[in-house]
Amino acid sequence: MIRPGSEHWSSAMYLMRVGPAGAEKPAVRSGDGYVDVSDLTPDFDAAFFERGGLEALREASATGTVIPLADQRVGAPIARPHQIICIGLNYSDHAAETGQAVPSEPIVFNKAPNTLVGPYDEVHIPRRSAKTDWEVELGVVVGRRCRYLKDERAAQDAIAGYVVVNDVSEREFQIERGGQWVKGKSAETFNPCGPYLVTPDEIPDVGALDMWLDVNGTRRQKGSTATMLFGPAFLVHYLSQFMVLEPGDLINTGTPPGVGMGHNPPLYLRPGDVMELGIERLGGQRQRVVAAP
């Protein structure tokens, strides 16, 4: 299993949440372990980001007691957000593999916030699903309330950090069942997130990060944020013209080529499959696929 600490990182601050589902404690990664910061904040939620809690953690993470991670569960690095906003066809090479035109403006849709799970939790194939698919994505976490932002610089200042996301999708529900995409995106467990939230100052160039996803040990997606059509700061600014973004909101920014429906013939997930995925500097995930009970 890919675990936090298995990659070689600089001595930087990475936000985590550790513990059983629904009872995670906020933490800051330190080497192969973590520092419990629940005495400073009850969670990495909207209130935490709104009051500027990130700065207080820097000192705490340098002086707190390091706890071995061992086999403890790692949850999503943020609490359930107010909303999860997704961007469709945001990679030029992914648009090409689907045979669709490159959009002139971002394609925007929502994903149910209760899809959020940890990076190593099981992913459930929905009942009556035949076309459950994978999507490695860069997630952007909003750090402050955003309303009619002036420009991309203001938007960049409003970004709390970046995360790895697997935007799991059911293609029949999404494409063939009418209506909007949200139906194919919102099944339980359809948004593994983490293992960390990495602050922007730790990413030299968010527009040049390698991305990958394997299914059962076979590389299915290989790409880079370099082919992203609309970057994180553009998206935060753009979205703020149409809606109010709240602290802790999550934006899934799209996927590179290699999704299941892009193969010939298409490939889709089945119970027992294992997905492993990651993004340079942001860590890796691993999910076993099971049938929804």
Side-chain angles (χ1 to χ4, degrees):
M1 174 180 288
I2 304 169
R3 301 290 294 180
S6 64
E7 309 86 354
H8 297 286
W9 302 102
S10 63
S11 56
M13 186 179 74
Y14 297 84
L15 274 60
M16 306 172 61
R17 294 168 70 247
V18 180
E24 297 93 342
K25 290 186 176 182
V28 175
R29 178 186 161 188
S30 180
D32 291 341
Y34 66 92
V35 175
D36 185 333
V37 294
S38 56
D39 57 334
L40 297 176
T41 181
D43 212 341
F44 296 142
D45 54 10
F48 167 80
F49 291 109
E50 192 166 23
R51 67 173 177 266
L54 283 170
E55 286 308 312
L57 292 183
R58 294 190 184 275
E59 181 177 351
S61 63
T63 60
T65 301
V66 178
I67 303 169
L69 184 61
D71 293 326
Q72 296 184 72
R73 175 183 175 272
V74 177
I78 57 173
R80 183 185 295 184
H82 165 257
Q83 59 184 340
I84 298 176
I85 304 164
C86 301
I87 308 299
L89 299 178
N90 195 30
Y91 283 69
S92 57
D93 39 7
H94 173 54
E97 79 170 340
T98 65
Q100 300 184 67
V102 171
S104 59
E105 291 194 40
I107 297 171
V108 180
F109 59 97
N110 290 91
K111 188 163 193 164
N114 64 1
T115 58
L116 193 75
V117 293
Y120 315 113
D121 291 345
E122 292 179 338
V123 165
H124 294 182
I125 294 182
R127 298 179 185 181
R128 297 175 295 279
S129 166
K131 298 181 179 181
T132 297
D133 203 348
W134 54 82
E135 294 189 19
V136 59
E137 302 200 7
L138 174 72
V140 176
V141 178
V142 177
R144 67 184 65 165
R145 196 168 191 261
C146 298
R147 175 180 177 271
Y148 299 117
L149 293 176
K150 179 180 179 181
D151 51 30
E152 288 188 42
R153 184 168 185 172
Q156 183 61 54
D157 289 343
I159 294 174
Y162 304 105
V163 295
V164 181
V165 168
N166 188 355
D167 179 22
V168 185
S169 308
E170 213 297 337
R171 302 303 188 187
E172 181 186 1
F173 299 174
Q174 176 187 357
I175 299 169
E176 302 172 34
R177 297 291 298 272
Q180 299 182 348
W181 289 2
V182 66
K183 288 191 299 189
K185 298 284 186 171
S186 292
E188 60 186 355
T189 76
F190 264 28
N191 208 98
C193 179
Y196 325 107
L197 181 149
V198 182
T199 52
D201 55 317
E202 307 300 343
I203 308 296
D205 185 0
V206 74
L209 301 177
D210 290 336
M211 312 168 71
W212 58 274
L213 183 145
D214 295 349
V215 179
N216 301 329
T218 299
R219 183 61 44 93
R220 294 303 184 189
Q221 286 189 273
K222 181 176 174 60
S224 169
T225 56
T227 65
M228 188 181 289
L229 297 169
F230 307 106
F234 178 95
L235 291 170
V236 171
H237 173 258
Y238 180 87
L239 291 170
S240 77
Q241 311 305 307
F242 300 94
M243 65 187 77
V244 176
L245 303 176
E246 300 289 353
D249 281 356
L250 176 63
I251 304 170
N252 294 347
T253 61
T255 196
V259 298
M261 73 173 180
H263 288 266
N264 187 15
L267 302 172
Y268 294 114
L269 295 167
R270 297 290 180 264
D273 288 345
V274 174
M275 295 180 284
E276 296 178 280
L277 59 144
I279 299 178
E280 181 184 1
R281 295 182 174 270
L282 301 183
Q285 302 184 357
R286 183 182 190 273
Q287 297 104 33
R288 181 172 175 267
V289 179
V290 301

